[in-house]
Amino acid sequence: AAAGSELPGSAALTLLGPAPGAPCCPHGPALLFVKTSQGKEDGRRFYACSACRDRKDCNFFQWEDEKVSETRLAAREEYNRSHQPFFTHRQNVDRYKNFVLLPLSKRRFCQECQQLLLPAEWKKHSDHQFLCEITTAQLKSPSQLLYPLENKKTNAQYLFADRSCQFLLNLLIDLGFRRVLSVGTPRLHEMIQSKASQEEEFNVRSLLLDIDFRYSQFYTEDEFCHYNMFNHHFFGGEAVRETCRKFLCEENGERVIMVTDPPFGGLVEALASSFKKLMAMWRETEKEGDDNREMPMFWIFPYFFESRILDFFPSFSMMDYQVDYDNHALYKHGKTGRRQSPVRIFTNLTPSMIVLPEEEGYRFCTVCQRYVSSGNQHCEICNSCTSKDGRRWKHCALCKKCVKPSWFHCNNCNCCTLQKHSCEKTDTGCFVCGKAGHKRSACPSLSRS
Ligand code: SAH
Ligand code: ZN
Ligand code: ZN
Ligand code: ZN
Ligand code: ZN
């Protein structure tokens, strides 16, 4: 539900936020929505699943004012219970301990169930595809072993290209951080964990928060928390929340940074609300009371969400660095030339501290006091490096701002737009990219094919 935020016509679904006393689906407390048309509430408010943008993944629905019978409540509780993972995290940790004791010849991974198998379980999976001789190296890179849940709108698992992951890690180490709260960044977590186990002097630690419970097979309770970032729900309850809280305590002067790379189709307002709660958790653990400090954060998201993110986090700025992915046809480096990735880093750290690699063409603009991409020219009139997408933008005197190179000024519309457009069409356009003609759910900027 949280997905198809647009309905036909000018109607849309608006998130009213996490509501106290909201009913629960297997993904934790549901979110409260209302249908709006022309900006006004129009119709009954209802609850829907926070995590699943596809009805097929979770079809939870309840009117806000609906009376739910005792029988239905009991059935729902039973349903939620039965939709919890088969093994608990504790059990998975024990299973892992047993697994690594096995000789190589007995280490199997079921590809269908996405599960490490103990010999006693082989029979049950005999007609499933499995991988043999799982090495320690493979166990240390679960993001390579597990298949990315990319087809499911819900998870939208797009893994960092090694180059981008390495860049992020080096950057935060150079900035002096020693603890990383990895929210939906399993590959960054994995890189940190694996270096920590291999290099003696490497002293960075990471805690992974993710809704993908498959990772609980590879990490202990101090390394992975089953978490929903759309409603700030810790699946394991208080004990798991406490693990996260403890991690955020900056003991021995080990500074913490949060790095997150949420599904792009997700609701920014729901994410922002959860991230504020994680920031509050960090602030509560502060010994010295400087109330204005914010937990340092990298929020990785497409550039066309800039204004939405800044609405919620005015202290953030967008960096020019283009984040690349492995399993994303659109957002990765090609062999010939470079596909421009629209994905950027948003941060509340001082932009001048974020050093971008000069060998990839980034340069420092002394006026703007930040690194910019090679194509991003400083505009004397705007007095800033104005390009958002890496291409050189051009200044329009009539609009009094810089615009995309492919745009031209339309005197009818009184603004710059694509050559091909129909004038004075009051279509509000796509919520994601701002273009007319399609809705957010069908936005080509988000297409992953
Ligand atoms: N680029 C990152 C992965 C980003 S993909 C990396 O390489 O490390 C988005 C991640 O968010 C996935 O790991 C996915 O499992 C997780 N995710 C999706 N929905 C979530 C939710 N509701 N709560 C927490 N994590 C979620
Ligand atoms: Zn759900
Ligand atoms: Zn500049
Ligand atoms: Zn300009
Ligand atoms: Zn113009």
Side-chain angles (χ1 to χ4, degrees):
S5 283
E6 269 100 333
L7 300 171
S10 60
L13 283 186
T14 302
L15 173 69
L16 296 168
C24 286
C25 71
H27 307 93
L31 298 177
L32 189 57
F33 293 89
V34 70
K35 205 172 97 187
T36 49
S37 89
Q38 270 114 37
K40 281 199 288 282
E41 278 196 32
D42 173 25
R44 259 164 112 184
R45 298 170 167 205
F46 63 89
Y47 292 103
C49 177
S50 60
C52 302
R53 301 184 293 126
D54 197 330
R55 279 278 227 165
K56 279 190 281 232
D57 293 332
C58 181
N59 62 2
F60 183 87
F61 181 92
Q62 186 192 309
W63 295 112
E64 184 191 27
D65 55 8
E66 191 177 342
K67 285 268 171 295
V68 184
S69 70
E70 289 294 326
T71 352
R72 226 181 102 200
L73 275 180
R76 184 182 289 168
E77 256 174 54
E78 180 48 38
Y79 178 86
N80 289 351
R81 247 195 312 278
S82 68
H83 278 73
Q84 293 311 312
F86 184 72
F87 291 117
T88 64
H89 193 171
R90 187 87 284 260
Q91 284 170 322
N92 274 339
V93 171
D94 288 336
R95 292 166 55 78
Y96 183 87
K97 281 188 196 147
N98 291 327
F99 191 87
V100 292
L101 294 176
L102 295 170
L104 213 51
S105 61
K106 293 200 164 154
R107 291 192 190 173
R108 288 188 184 176
F109 175 76
C110 177
Q111 288 180 301
E112 240 163 285
C113 305
Q114 293 284 294
Q115 193 192 317
L116 298 172
L117 298 181
L118 296 171
E121 296 158 349
W122 288 1
K123 237 176 130 190
K124 258 201 317 211
H125 299 259
S126 58
D127 52 352
H128 293 174
Q129 294 262 13
F130 58 84
L131 295 174
C132 295
E133 308 208 349
I134 304 298
T135 62
T136 309
Q138 283 176 297
L139 292 174
K140 283 200 175 120
S141 10
S143 78
Q144 315 261 3
L145 191 61
L146 303 167
Y147 64 75
L149 303 170
E150 59 185 296
N151 300 326
K152 302 182 96 188
K153 279 188 184 171
T154 304
N155 284 69
Q157 230 156 27
Y158 295 97
L159 301 167
F160 293 134
D162 199 52
R163 211 171 49 94
S164 285
C165 201
Q166 194 72 60
F167 164 76
L168 283 170
L169 179 54
N170 290 343
L171 176 62
L172 58 90
I173 290 174
D174 289 345
L175 289 166
F177 294 103
R178 289 298 169 265
R179 289 191 195 198
V180 184
L181 186 68
S182 299
V183 183
T185 54
R187 190 154 270 183
L188 178 64
H189 175 72
E190 169 179 312
M191 189 176 266
I192 295 172
Q193 293 293 108
S194 124
K195 279 187 198 269
S197 72
Q198 279 157 29
E199 299 168 24
E200 187 126 14
E201 339 68 84
F202 189 85
N203 55 359
V204 181
R205 293 203 292 135
S206 170
L207 174 68
L208 175 64
L209 267 52
D210 203 290
I211 203 166
D212 186 352
F213 194 66
R214 296 177 305 169
Y215 282 100
S216 72
Q217 299 179 85
F218 305 91
Y219 300 122
T220 65
E221 288 103 324
D222 287 332
E223 297 164 334
F224 171 75
C225 296
H226 193 199
Y227 174 76
N228 182 348
M229 63 168 114
F230 288 115
N231 59 3
H232 188 60
H233 178 66
F234 288 90
F235 289 88
E238 207 40 52
V240 179
R241 176 188 299 270
E242 185 58 19
T243 302
C244 179
R245 208 192 58 80
K246 265 215 188 111
F247 185 82
L248 295 178
C249 288
E250 301 184 318
E251 290 150 7
N252 322 318
E254 291 180 347
R255 291 173 58 221
V256 182
I257 184 166
M258 171 175 152
V259 182
T260 185
D261 185 12
F264 304 150
L267 288 165
V268 176
E269 48 271 61
L271 293 169
S273 149
S274 297
F275 298 163
K276 285 189 184 206
K277 286 174 187 158
L278 288 170
M279 281 175 154
M281 208 181 225
W282 173 85
R283 199 172 303 116
E284 281 159 23
T285 67
E286 282 281 87
K287 280 121 223 161
E288 315 101 68
D290 181 356
D291 285 347
N292 290 324
R293 279 186 60 210
E294 254 179 22
M295 172 165 67
M297 185 160 138
F298 288 161
W299 177 346
I300 296 161
F301 228 49
Y303 71 80
F304 29 79
F305 280 104
E306 183 183 24
S307 64
R308 300 287 296 142
I309 292 183
L310 265 52
D311 281 347
F312 294 102
F313 292 105
S315 65
F316 279 38
S317 34
M318 186 174 86
M319 302 294 101
D320 268 20
Y321 185 78
Q322 302 193 358
V323 179
D324 288 313
Y325 295 84
D326 257 359
N327 57 334
H328 199 302
L330 238 68
Y331 308 168
K332 73 178 177 196
H333 276 244
K335 282 233 164 52
T336 52
R338 160 161 203 183
R339 286 246 197 203
Q340 306 262 11
S341 160
V343 185
R344 303 287 183 269
I345 302 168
F346 293 85
T347 184
N348 50 1
L349 296 172
T350 312
S352 62
M353 302 198 316
I354 313 296
V355 179
L356 305 186
E358 280 172 20
E359 62 277 14
E360 284 175 42
Y362 299 98
R363 63 181 174 84
F364 191 72
C365 173
T366 47
V367 185
C368 297
Q369 283 291 302
R370 67 178 182 101
Y371 279 81
V372 294
S373 54
S374 52
N376 196 354
Q377 288 273 333
H378 190 86
C379 169
E380 300 298 339
I381 309 167
C382 297
N383 196 30
S384 107
C385 290
T386 43
S387 168
K388 303 288 180 195
D389 60 10
R391 292 178 300 170
R392 182 176 182 169
W393 284 26
K394 57 178 189 193
H395 192 86
C396 170
L398 294 168
C399 291
K400 296 192 176 71
K401 64 177 185 189
C402 284
V403 296
K404 290 185 178 174
S406 53
W407 287 15
F408 88 121
H409 193 87
C410 170
N411 288 319
N412 251 342
C413 301
N414 202 22
C415 69
C416 280
T417 180
L418 280 170
Q419 192 101 38
K420 261 204 280 174
H421 72 283
S422 36
C423 291
E424 286 168 78
K425 213 173 140 211
T426 47
D427 193 337
T428 40
C430 167
F431 184 73
V432 172
C433 70
K435 289 180 192 138
H438 63 265
K439 295 298 184 183
R440 159 193 178 133
S441 41
C443 180
S445 311
L446 296 179
S447 88
R448 318 271 196 157
S449 53

Coordinates of all heavy atoms in Angstrom, one line a residue, residues 385-449:
C385 N 27.4 25.7 -7.9 CA 27.6 24.6 -8.9 C 26.2 23.9 -8.9 O 25.8 23.2 -8.0 CB 28.7 23.6 -8.5 SG 30.3 24.3 -8.6
T386 N 25.5 24.1 -10.0 CA 24.0 23.9 -10.0 C 23.6 22.5 -10.5 O 22.5 22.1 -10.3 CB 23.3 25.0 -10.8 OG1 24.0 25.2 -12.0 CG2 23.2 26.2 -10.0
S387 N 24.5 21.8 -11.2 CA 24.0 20.6 -11.8 C 23.7 19.5 -10.8 O 24.4 19.4 -9.8 CB 25.1 20.0 -12.8 OG 24.8 18.7 -13.1
K388 N 22.6 18.8 -11.0 CA 22.2 17.7 -10.1 C 22.6 16.4 -10.7 O 22.7 15.4 -9.9 CB 20.7 17.8 -9.9 CG 20.1 19.1 -9.3 CD 20.5 19.3 -7.9 CE 20.0 20.6 -7.4 NZ 20.6 21.1 -6.2
D389 N 22.6 16.3 -12.0 CA 22.7 15.0 -12.6 C 24.1 14.7 -13.2 O 24.3 13.7 -13.9 CB 21.7 14.7 -13.6 CG 21.7 15.8 -14.8 OD1 22.7 16.5 -14.8 OD2 20.8 15.8 -15.6
G390 N 25.1 15.6 -13.0 CA 26.4 15.4 -13.4 C 26.7 16.0 -14.8 O 27.8 16.2 -15.2
R391 N 25.6 16.3 -15.6 CA 25.8 16.9 -16.9 C 25.9 18.4 -16.6 O 25.5 18.9 -15.6 CB 24.6 16.7 -17.8 CG 24.5 15.2 -18.2 CD 23.3 15.0 -19.1 NE 22.0 15.4 -18.3 CZ 20.8 15.5 -18.9 NH1 20.7 15.3 -20.2 NH2 19.8 15.8 -18.2
R392 N 26.5 19.2 -17.6 CA 26.6 20.6 -17.5 C 25.2 21.2 -17.7 O 24.6 21.1 -18.7 CB 27.6 21.1 -18.5 CG 27.8 22.6 -18.3 CD 28.8 23.1 -19.3 NE 29.0 24.6 -19.1 CZ 30.0 25.3 -19.6 NH1 30.9 24.7 -20.3 NH2 30.0 26.6 -19.3
W393 N 24.7 22.0 -16.7 CA 23.5 22.7 -16.8 C 23.7 24.1 -17.4 O 24.8 24.6 -17.4 CB 22.7 22.7 -15.5 CG 22.1 21.4 -15.1 CD1 22.6 20.2 -15.5 CD2 21.0 21.2 -14.2 NE1 21.8 19.2 -14.9 CE2 20.8 19.8 -14.1 CE3 20.2 22.0 -13.5 CZ2 19.8 19.2 -13.3 CZ3 19.2 21.4 -12.7 CH2 19.0 20.0 -12.6
K394 N 22.6 24.7 -17.9 CA 22.7 26.0 -18.5 C 21.8 27.0 -17.8 O 20.7 26.6 -17.3 CB 22.4 25.9 -20.0 CG 21.0 25.4 -20.3 CD 20.6 25.4 -21.7 CE 19.2 25.0 -21.9 NZ 18.8 24.7 -23.3
H395 N 22.2 28.2 -17.7 CA 21.5 29.2 -17.0 C 20.4 29.8 -17.8 O 20.6 30.1 -19.0 CB 22.4 30.3 -16.4 CG 21.7 31.2 -15.4 ND1 21.6 30.9 -14.1 CD2 20.9 32.3 -15.6 CE1 20.9 31.8 -13.5 NE2 20.5 32.7 -14.4
C396 N 19.1 29.9 -17.3 CA 18.1 30.5 -18.0 C 17.8 31.9 -17.3 O 17.4 31.9 -16.1 CB 16.8 29.7 -18.0 SG 15.4 30.6 -18.7
A397 N 18.0 32.9 -18.1 CA 17.8 34.3 -17.5 C 16.3 34.5 -17.1 O 16.1 35.3 -16.2 CB 18.3 35.3 -18.5
L398 N 15.4 33.9 -17.9 CA 14.0 34.2 -17.6 C 13.5 33.4 -16.3 O 12.8 34.0 -15.5 CB 13.1 33.7 -18.8 CG 13.4 34.6 -20.1 CD1 12.7 33.9 -21.3 CD2 12.8 36.0 -19.9
C399 N 14.0 32.2 -16.2 CA 13.7 31.4 -15.0 C 14.5 31.8 -13.8 O 14.2 31.4 -12.7 CB 13.9 29.9 -15.3 SG 12.7 29.2 -16.4
K400 N 15.6 32.5 -14.1 CA 16.6 33.0 -13.1 C 17.2 31.8 -12.3 O 17.4 31.8 -11.1 CB 15.9 33.9 -12.1 CG 15.4 35.2 -12.7 CD 15.0 36.2 -11.6 CE 14.7 37.6 -12.1 NZ 13.4 37.6 -12.8
K401 N 17.4 30.7 -13.1 CA 18.1 29.6 -12.5 C 18.7 28.7 -13.6 O 18.3 28.8 -14.7 CB 17.1 28.7 -11.6 CG 16.0 28.1 -12.3 CD 15.1 27.2 -11.4 CE 14.1 26.5 -12.1 NZ 13.1 25.8 -11.3
C402 N 19.5 27.7 -13.1 CA 20.1 26.8 -14.1 C 19.1 25.6 -14.3 O 18.4 25.2 -13.4 CB 21.4 26.3 -13.6 SG 22.8 27.5 -13.7
V403 N 19.1 25.1 -15.6 CA 18.2 24.0 -15.9 C 19.0 23.0 -16.7 O 20.1 23.2 -17.1 CB 17.0 24.5 -16.7 CG1 16.1 25.5 -16.0 CG2 17.5 25.2 -18.1
K404 N 18.3 21.8 -16.8 CA 18.9 20.7 -17.5 C 19.3 21.1 -19.0 O 18.6 21.9 -19.6 CB 18.0 19.5 -17.6 CG 17.8 18.8 -16.3 CD 16.9 17.6 -16.4 CE 16.7 16.9 -15.1 NZ 15.8 15.8 -15.1
P405 N 20.4 20.6 -19.5 CA 20.8 21.0 -20.9 C 19.8 20.7 -21.9 O 19.7 21.4 -22.9 CB 22.1 20.1 -21.1 CG 22.1 19.1 -20.1 CD 21.3 19.6 -18.9
S406 N 18.9 19.7 -21.7 CA 17.9 19.3 -22.7 C 16.7 20.2 -22.7 O 15.8 20.0 -23.5 CB 17.6 17.9 -22.5 OG 17.2 17.6 -21.2
W407 N 16.6 21.1 -21.7 CA 15.4 21.9 -21.6 C 15.5 23.2 -22.4 O 16.6 23.7 -22.7 CB 15.1 22.2 -20.1 CG 14.7 21.1 -19.3 CD1 14.7 19.8 -19.7 CD2 14.1 21.1 -18.0 NE1 14.2 19.0 -18.7 CE2 13.8 19.7 -17.7 CE3 13.8 22.1 -17.1 CZ2 13.2 19.4 -16.4 CZ3 13.2 21.8 -15.9 CH2 12.9 20.4 -15.6
F408 N 14.3 23.8 -22.7 CA 14.3 25.1 -23.3 C 13.2 25.9 -22.7 O 12.3 25.3 -22.0 CB 14.1 24.9 -24.8 CG 12.7 24.9 -25.3 CD1 12.2 25.8 -26.2 CD2 11.8 23.9 -24.8 CE1 10.9 25.8 -26.6 CE2 10.5 23.9 -25.2 CZ 10.0 24.8 -26.1
H409 N 13.3 27.2 -22.8 CA 12.3 28.0 -22.2 C 11.0 28.1 -23.0 O 11.1 28.5 -24.2 CB 12.9 29.4 -21.9 CG 12.0 30.2 -20.9 ND1 12.1 30.1 -19.6 CD2 10.9 31.0 -21.2 CE1 11.2 30.9 -19.0 NE2 10.5 31.4 -19.9
C410 N 9.9 27.8 -22.5 CA 8.7 27.8 -23.2 C 7.9 29.1 -22.7 O 7.6 29.2 -21.5 CB 7.8 26.6 -22.9 SG 6.1 26.7 -23.5
N411 N 7.7 30.0 -23.6 CA 7.0 31.3 -23.3 C 5.5 31.1 -22.9 O 5.0 31.9 -22.1 CB 7.1 32.3 -24.4 CG 8.5 32.8 -24.6 OD1 9.2 33.1 -23.6 ND2 9.0 32.9 -25.8
N412 N 5.0 30.0 -23.4 CA 3.6 29.7 -23.0 C 3.5 29.3 -21.6 O 2.6 29.8 -20.8 CB 3.1 28.5 -23.9 CG 2.1 28.9 -24.9 OD1 1.5 30.0 -24.8 ND2 1.9 28.1 -25.9
C413 N 4.3 28.4 -21.2 CA 4.3 27.8 -19.8 C 5.0 28.8 -18.8 O 4.9 28.6 -17.6 CB 5.0 26.5 -19.7 SG 4.2 25.3 -20.8
N414 N 5.8 29.7 -19.4 CA 6.6 30.6 -18.6 C 7.6 29.9 -17.7 O 7.9 30.3 -16.6 CB 5.7 31.5 -17.8 CG 6.4 32.8 -17.4 OD1 7.4 33.2 -18.0 ND2 5.9 33.4 -16.3
C415 N 8.1 28.8 -18.2 CA 9.2 28.1 -17.5 C 10.0 27.2 -18.5 O 9.5 27.0 -19.6 CB 8.6 27.3 -16.3 SG 7.7 25.9 -16.8
C416 N 11.1 26.7 -18.0 CA 11.8 25.8 -18.8 C 11.3 24.4 -18.7 O 10.9 23.9 -17.6 CB 13.3 25.8 -18.4 SG 14.2 27.2 -19.1
T417 N 11.3 23.7 -19.8 CA 10.8 22.3 -19.8 C 11.3 21.5 -21.0 O 12.1 22.1 -21.8 CB 9.2 22.3 -19.8 OG1 8.7 21.0 -19.7 CG2 8.6 23.0 -21.0
L418 N 10.9 20.3 -21.2 CA 11.3 19.5 -22.3 C 10.7 20.2 -23.6 O 9.6 20.7 -23.6 CB 10.8 18.1 -22.2 CG 11.6 17.2 -21.3 CD1 10.9 15.9 -21.1 CD2 13.0 16.9 -22.0
Q419 N 11.4 20.0 -24.7 CA 10.9 20.5 -26.0 C 9.5 19.9 -26.3 O 8.6 20.6 -26.7 CB 11.9 20.1 -27.1 CG 11.7 20.8 -28.4 CD 12.6 21.9 -28.7 OE1 13.8 21.8 -28.3 NE2 12.2 23.0 -29.3
K420 N 9.5 18.6 -26.1 CA 8.2 17.9 -26.3 C 7.3 18.0 -25.1 O 7.5 17.3 -24.1 CB 8.4 16.4 -26.7 CG 8.4 16.2 -28.2 CD 8.1 14.7 -28.4 CE 9.3 13.8 -28.2 NZ 9.2 12.4 -28.3
H421 N 6.4 18.9 -25.0 CA 5.4 18.9 -23.9 C 4.2 19.6 -24.4 O 4.2 20.3 -25.4 CB 6.0 19.7 -22.7 CG 6.1 21.2 -22.9 ND1 7.1 21.7 -23.7 CD2 5.3 22.2 -22.5 CE1 6.9 23.1 -23.7 NE2 5.8 23.3 -23.0
S422 N 3.1 19.3 -23.7 CA 1.9 20.0 -24.1 C 1.6 21.2 -23.1 O 1.6 21.0 -21.9 CB 0.7 19.1 -24.1 OG 0.8 18.1 -23.1
C423 N 1.6 22.4 -23.6 CA 1.5 23.6 -22.8 C 0.3 23.6 -21.9 O -0.8 23.1 -22.2 CB 1.5 24.8 -23.7 SG 3.0 25.1 -24.6
E424 N 0.5 24.2 -20.7 CA -0.6 24.4 -19.8 C -1.4 23.2 -19.4 O -2.5 23.3 -19.0 CB -1.5 25.5 -20.3 CG -0.8 26.9 -20.2 CD -1.6 28.0 -20.9 OE1 -2.6 28.4 -20.4 OE2 -1.2 28.3 -22.1
K425 N -0.7 22.1 -19.5 CA -1.3 20.9 -19.0 C -1.1 20.9 -17.5 O 0.0 20.9 -17.0 CB -0.7 19.6 -19.6 CG -1.6 18.5 -19.8 CD -1.0 17.4 -20.5 CE -1.5 16.0 -19.9 NZ -0.5 15.0 -20.0
T426 N -2.2 21.0 -16.7 CA -2.0 21.2 -15.3 C -1.7 19.9 -14.5 O -1.8 19.9 -13.3 CB -3.2 21.9 -14.7 OG1 -4.4 21.2 -15.2 CG2 -3.3 23.4 -15.0
D427 N -1.4 18.9 -15.3 CA -1.0 17.6 -14.7 C 0.2 17.9 -13.7 O 1.2 18.5 -14.1 CB -0.5 16.7 -15.8 CG -0.4 15.2 -15.3 OD1 -0.2 15.1 -14.0 OD2 -0.5 14.3 -16.1
T428 N 0.0 17.5 -12.5 CA 1.0 17.8 -11.5 C 2.3 17.0 -11.7 O 3.3 17.3 -11.2 CB 0.5 17.5 -10.0 OG1 -0.3 16.3 -10.1 CG2 -0.3 18.6 -9.5
G429 N 2.1 15.9 -12.5 CA 3.3 15.1 -12.8 C 3.7 14.1 -11.7 O 3.1 14.1 -10.7
C430 N 4.7 13.4 -12.1 CA 5.2 12.3 -11.2 C 5.8 12.9 -10.0 O 6.6 13.9 -10.0 CB 6.2 11.5 -12.0 SG 7.1 10.4 -10.9
F431 N 5.5 12.3 -8.9 CA 6.0 12.7 -7.6 C 7.5 12.5 -7.4 O 8.2 13.2 -6.7 CB 5.2 11.9 -6.5 CG 5.6 12.3 -5.1 CD1 5.1 13.5 -4.6 CD2 6.3 11.5 -4.3 CE1 5.4 13.9 -3.3 CE2 6.6 11.9 -3.0 CZ 6.2 13.1 -2.5
V432 N 8.0 11.6 -8.2 CA 9.4 11.2 -8.0 C 10.3 12.1 -8.9 O 11.2 12.8 -8.4 CB 9.7 9.7 -8.4 CG1 11.2 9.5 -8.4 CG2 9.0 8.8 -7.4
C433 N 10.0 12.2 -10.2 CA 10.9 12.9 -11.1 C 10.3 14.3 -11.5 O 11.0 15.0 -12.2 CB 11.3 12.1 -12.3 SG 9.9 11.9 -13.4
G434 N 9.1 14.5 -11.2 CA 8.4 15.8 -11.6 C 7.9 15.8 -13.0 O 7.2 16.8 -13.4
K435 N 8.2 14.8 -13.8 CA 7.7 14.8 -15.2 C 6.2 14.4 -15.3 O 5.8 13.6 -14.5 CB 8.5 13.9 -16.0 CG 10.0 14.4 -16.3 CD 10.8 13.4 -17.1 CE 12.2 13.8 -17.0 NZ 13.1 12.6 -16.9
A436 N 5.6 15.0 -16.3 CA 4.2 14.7 -16.5 C 4.0 13.4 -17.2 O 5.0 12.9 -17.8 CB 3.5 15.8 -17.2
G437 N 2.9 12.8 -17.2 CA 2.6 11.6 -18.1 C 2.6 10.3 -17.4 O 2.3 9.3 -18.0
H438 N 3.2 10.2 -16.2 CA 3.1 9.0 -15.5 C 3.1 9.3 -14.0 O 3.4 10.4 -13.6 CB 4.4 8.1 -15.8 CG 5.7 8.8 -15.4 ND1 6.4 9.5 -16.2 CD2 6.3 8.8 -14.2 CE1 7.5 10.0 -15.6 NE2 7.4 9.6 -14.3
K439 N 2.7 8.2 -13.3 CA 2.6 8.4 -11.8 C 3.9 7.8 -11.2 O 4.6 7.0 -11.9 CB 1.4 7.7 -11.3 CG 0.1 8.3 -11.7 CD 0.0 9.8 -11.2 CE -1.3 10.4 -11.6 NZ -1.4 11.8 -11.2
R440 N 4.1 8.1 -9.9 CA 5.3 7.6 -9.2 C 5.5 6.1 -9.3 O 6.6 5.7 -9.6 CB 5.1 8.0 -7.7 CG 5.9 7.2 -6.7 CD 5.3 7.6 -5.4 NE 5.9 6.9 -4.3 CZ 6.2 7.5 -3.2 NH1 6.1 8.8 -3.1 NH2 6.7 6.9 -2.2
S441 N 4.4 5.3 -9.3 CA 4.6 3.9 -9.3 C 5.2 3.4 -10.6 O 5.8 2.3 -10.7 CB 3.3 3.2 -9.0 OG 2.2 3.8 -9.7
A442 N 5.0 4.2 -11.7 CA 5.5 3.8 -13.0 C 6.7 4.7 -13.5 O 7.0 4.7 -14.6 CB 4.3 4.0 -14.0
C443 N 7.3 5.4 -12.5 CA 8.3 6.3 -12.9 C 9.5 5.6 -13.5 O 10.1 4.6 -12.9 CB 8.8 7.1 -11.6 SG 10.2 8.2 -12.0
P444 N 9.9 6.0 -14.7 CA 11.1 5.3 -15.4 C 12.4 5.5 -14.6 O 13.3 4.7 -14.7 CB 11.1 6.0 -16.7 CG 10.3 7.2 -16.7 CD 9.3 7.0 -15.6
S445 N 12.5 6.6 -13.8 CA 13.7 6.8 -13.0 C 13.9 5.7 -12.0 O 15.0 5.4 -11.5 CB 13.6 8.1 -12.2 OG 13.2 9.1 -13.0
L446 N 12.8 5.0 -11.6 CA 12.9 4.0 -10.6 C 13.0 2.6 -11.2 O 13.2 1.6 -10.6 CB 11.7 4.0 -9.6 CG 11.6 5.3 -8.8 CD1 10.4 5.2 -7.9 CD2 12.9 5.5 -7.9
S447 N 12.8 2.5 -12.6 CA 12.7 1.2 -13.2 C 14.0 0.5 -13.1 O 15.1 1.0 -13.2 CB 12.3 1.3 -14.6 OG 13.4 1.4 -15.4
R448 N 14.0 -0.8 -12.8 CA 15.2 -1.5 -12.5 C 15.5 -2.6 -13.5 O 16.1 -3.6 -13.2 CB 15.1 -2.2 -11.1 CG 14.5 -1.3 -10.1 CD 15.6 -0.5 -9.4 NE 15.1 0.1 -8.2 CZ 15.9 0.4 -7.2 NH1 17.2 0.2 -7.3 NH2 15.4 1.0 -6.1
S449 N 14.8 -2.5 -14.6 CA 15.0 -3.6 -15.6 C 16.3 -3.6 -16.3 O 16.9 -2.6 -16.4 CB 13.8 -3.6 -16.6 OG 13.9 -2.3 -17.2

